[in-house]
Amino acid sequence: MSVKPDRVIVVDDDAELRALLRRFLSTHGFETRVVDGGAALDRELSRNPADAIVLDLMMSGEDGLAICRRLRAAGDMTPIVMLTARGDPIDRIIGLESGADDYLPKPFEPRELVARLSAVLRRTRGQGDVSTDDIVTVGSLEINLSTRKVMRDAAALKLSSREFALLAALVRSRGRPLSRAQLIDRALGRDAEVTDRAVDVQIARLRRAIGDRADDAELIKTVWGVGYVLVSDDV
């Protein structure tokens, strides 16, 4: 079975550098997309998640630090390699403290970026969105992520493996909306050939399976133009 290449998004407001990195990373086996800023990155991530992000620190408008902090605050733990023209060690510290996984000062050899990306992906591979809580309570639902058992009002619920995978993805991001592409990626796997409409159908089945109601007690809410969110304890 063929293995799909790692997906990388390069975020830089320098069109020439974007083109160079796209060509170089693509020739080294990465599925590479390039964007010119935070808003374009958000659109790309909502359509098709990435395995890693190459993020320029110094950009007009929203800079790399702000983008990195915003992604981490939203629960997006996609590995980030930060690029910067600055050489001061304090900038490296600030970049890493903001949530970046590695830091590469400009100018750099493209081969070094490939090595940094490969190292970051090896370190983070398989970590995913691991919850520190094996048992999570949301409303009247009790979800055991280890045993894959779901209870509602002390009664066991029967969920298919796909329904549980969707529920687990929503639980691990509870309170934060996930796009359909993100749900496919986190719950069903990047190789799954699933359409957005199929996700909607699966969510509808999941809602029925957990006894969700379209009223104030609704636990899985539709976020129009985005996707779905599982309510958090403070919602």
Side-chain angles (χ1 to χ4, degrees):
M1 183 176 65
S2 62
V3 177
K4 288 190 175 181
D6 288 314
R7 300 161 298 177
V8 174
I9 299 179
V10 175
V11 189
D12 200 301
D13 58 1
D14 184 329
E16 185 176 347
L17 183 60
R18 287 199 307 269
L20 184 154
L21 291 181
R22 182 174 193 170
R23 289 194 302 271
F24 193 86
L25 292 176
S26 296
T27 60
H28 281 76
F30 294 98
E31 179 187 306
T32 308
R33 290 168 283 160
V34 296
V35 297
D36 61 2
L41 172 63
D42 293 341
R43 289 193 295 272
E44 279 296 322
L45 288 173
S46 69
R47 287 193 292 258
N48 185 13
D51 296 303
I53 297 169
V54 176
L55 179 60
D56 186 34
L57 174 62
M58 300 297 293
M59 291 188 291
S60 58
E62 188 180 23
D63 65 21
L65 285 178
I67 293 171
C68 185
R69 291 190 181 112
R70 178 168 59 77
L71 290 175
R72 295 305 188 237
D76 190 327
M77 301 309 293
T78 305
I80 292 174
V81 175
M82 191 85 77
L83 303 179
T84 179
R86 296 178 178 177
D88 194 324
I90 193 64
D91 293 317
R92 178 177 183 274
I93 294 170
I94 292 172
L96 295 176
E97 287 182 345
S98 72
D101 297 271
D102 204 348
Y103 185 99
L104 189 59
K106 297 177 180 176
F108 58 87
E109 284 290 334
R111 288 185 183 86
E112 185 176 2
L113 176 58
V114 169
R116 296 290 185 96
L117 279 171
S118 298
V120 164
L121 287 166
R122 282 196 302 271
R123 289 199 305 268
T124 58
R125 186 75 68 200
Q127 291 179 3
D129 298 307
V130 179
S131 173
T132 56
D133 301 317
D134 288 335
I135 299 177
V136 179
T137 300
V138 183
S140 58
L141 276 186
E142 182 180 280
I143 304 122
N144 191 314
L145 296 171
S146 295
T147 64
R148 301 173 67 86
K149 290 182 179 179
V150 181
M151 309 281 289
R152 183 158 197 165
D153 298 324
L157 303 179
K158 292 184 178 180
L159 272 64
S160 70
S161 60
R162 180 164 286 192
E163 288 164 354
F164 183 85
L166 286 169
L167 179 60
L170 289 166
V171 164
R172 289 168 174 147
S173 186
R174 59 190 181 278
R176 301 186 299 269
L178 292 177
S179 69
R180 291 167 178 82
Q182 288 171 323
L183 277 170
I184 293 170
D185 193 65
R186 299 183 187 191
L188 308 179
R190 57 182 298 188
D191 294 326
E193 296 182 0
V194 181
T195 64
D196 286 355
R197 175 57 183 159
V199 173
D200 294 337
V201 171
Q202 291 291 327
I203 289 290
R205 290 176 178 168
L206 173 59
R207 282 171 164 159
R208 288 195 295 271
I210 65 175
D212 212 4
R213 302 182 298 277
D215 56 21
D216 291 340
E218 184 182 43
L219 298 178
I220 300 174
K221 294 183 179 293
T222 301
V223 182
W224 298 109
V226 180
Y228 298 96
V229 63
L230 186 72
V231 297
S232 60
D233 295 336
D234 58 353
V235 171

